[in-house]
Amino acid sequence: MDRDDLAARYRRFADVEAAVASPQYAALARAVAEDPLVLDLLLDLPRIKRQPNLLLAVLRLLGGVPADGAQLHDRVAADGDRIRAEILTRATQTNEPARAASLLPALARVEGPLALVEVGCSAGLLLQLDRYGYRYATAAGEHRVGRQDGLLVDCTVDGELALPADVPQVVHRVGIDRNPLDPADPDTVAWLRALVWPGPQHDARLARLDPALALAAAHPHERVTGDLVEELPGVLAGLPDGATPVVLASMTLVYLDDDARAGFAEATAGVHVLAAEAPGVVVDVRPDPHDRVVVSLDGEPLHLAAPHGGAITPL
Ligand SMILES: C[S@@+](CC[C@H](N)C(=O)[O-])C[C@H]1O[C@@H](n2cnc3c(N)ncnc32)[C@H](O)[C@@H]1O
């Protein structure tokens, strides 16, 4: 990857991923694309560490969101070593409880009780989906699911979609991650908060993140550290009888190469797979201009979902 490719990656982030969700990040990413000093710092890093999301979250963690491209440039010029070191320590592990509202209608198709296994679970916030309350806004009116006196997840449904009457019964939950995050650790909390983009959804996202982390800390799931393809067979073999296993993959399989995706498919043969991944990762649907993910169950595409949750469009 040369400097032009990297600049193009930052422009794509500005134009597609952040344009609506975070105009401030879109402007900063556009400035990075024109800034040789910042591009050189990134080109010195391993490829996986050059992502816009990672650079911007590290800047935010270390000194707040830069006001503009000039301030971003000055901070990199003055503090490049510290920024580089922090980028090397951290990974983008955004864990967004609002994604649960996109998963629920698909999960309702599986008969419970469920044993939920999430691959790439980060801090495990999606494994708590039965403990959240949901408020779906549909053309026919509001549809509420689950308890309404705690964390509430809002979701707009653009089209006809069967919505569940209740949350699923989850009797066992396991999270696999090569770097599982502890929801009770203050450093984890600070990093997950830094990963929330400034923009129209910022305050609502933080208002969900904090209680979701508290819930996950109060109800720890079984945590497995390691590569998901290697760990899955052992985890699936160890699940208790009497519950239907469902493997959940949300914004994770996209990080796997073709061989690892084939390994995932082999490891999950005969088991329900609920996925919320970019088009082409699990199911082949047309790439989406709004960067939405496809929610699928057992390879059947069901609906498109906003990447950070909040809106679904049935296919
Ligand atoms: C973007 S986060 C998604 C977190 C959560 N699934 C969600 O949607 O809110 C992706 C997670 O996948 C994990 N991950 C990526 N590749 C992995 C692998 N091969 N094995 C285990 N975990 C992996 C990362 O560590 C990270 O926590």
Side-chain angles (χ1 to χ4, degrees):
M1 182 189 262
D2 63 15
R3 202 191 265 183
D4 288 346
D5 295 332
L6 188 58
R9 169 80 188 86
Y10 272 72
R11 276 189 214 101
R12 184 187 181 277
F13 176 85
D15 295 343
V16 179
E17 295 168 53
V20 175
S22 183
Q24 211 176 337
Y25 270 8
L28 291 172
R30 253 178 234 116
V32 169
E34 307 300 326
D35 191 326
L37 174 93
V38 185
L39 291 174
D40 282 346
L41 173 130
L42 293 165
L43 283 168
D44 254 0
L45 294 165
R47 200 184 171 100
I48 187 86
K49 296 287 182 181
R50 297 176 190 161
Q51 308 157 52
N53 200 14
L54 184 56
L55 170 71
L56 294 166
V58 161
L59 285 165
R60 180 169 193 191
L61 184 75
L62 294 180
V65 179
D68 52 26
Q71 203 182 85
L72 189 155
H73 175 96
D74 291 347
R75 280 180 53 193
V76 170
D79 211 9
D81 287 345
R82 198 161 68 110
I83 292 168
R84 186 180 298 109
E86 201 68 40
I87 289 177
L88 287 171
T89 331
R90 306 281 179 181
T92 51
Q93 292 189 264
T94 304
N95 203 189
E96 175 48 73
R99 291 175 182 152
S102 322
L103 302 172
L104 213 62
L107 198 54
R109 294 176 167 223
V110 182
E111 199 166 330
L114 305 178
L116 203 52
V117 177
E118 186 181 4
V119 292
C121 64
S122 185
L125 302 188
L126 294 181
L127 285 167
Q128 305 290 335
L129 50 67
D130 54 324
R131 296 195 167 99
Y132 306 154
Y134 300 87
R135 229 168 15 192
Y136 291 95
T138 75
E142 193 176 75
H143 179 86
R144 291 179 179 245
V145 185
R147 54 179 299 178
Q148 299 289 309
D149 59 348
L151 170 51
L152 269 182
V153 178
D154 285 301
C155 184
T156 306
V157 183
D158 181 15
E160 287 288 313
L161 183 72
L163 292 169
D166 210 347
V167 291
Q169 188 192 2
V170 182
V171 292
H172 194 78
R173 47 201 107 209
V174 187
I176 307 175
D177 203 294
R178 59 158 64 111
N179 182 36
L181 296 180
D182 176 0
D185 173 32
D187 181 66
T188 293
V189 174
W191 176 237
L192 287 175
R193 290 179 121 249
L195 281 165
V196 176
W197 298 359
Q201 292 298 318
H202 176 267
D203 293 352
R205 287 185 66 191
L206 277 194
R208 282 189 301 263
L209 182 62
D210 291 336
L213 285 165
L215 262 178
H219 304 276
H221 60 273
E222 186 184 326
R223 233 186 267 170
V224 176
T225 304
D227 177 78
L228 67 94
V229 177
E230 282 169 26
E231 300 297 336
L232 252 179
V235 167
L236 289 173
L239 291 177
D241 291 336
T244 312
V246 178
V247 175
L248 163 63
S250 164
M251 311 285 279
T252 292
L253 302 182
V254 67
Y255 295 104
L256 269 49
D257 62 21
D258 287 348
D259 284 351
R261 284 183 200 170
F264 173 80
E266 198 178 316
T268 53
V271 177
H272 290 295
V273 175
L274 172 58
E277 297 283 349
V281 173
V282 175
V283 284
D284 276 327
V285 300
R286 255 182 305 148
D288 181 64
H290 307 294
D291 220 34
R292 288 175 294 186
V293 296
V294 194
V295 176
S296 62
L297 181 69
D298 301 338
E300 183 192 349
L302 300 175
H303 45 266
L304 294 174
H308 294 128
I312 49 186
T313 305
L315 281 165

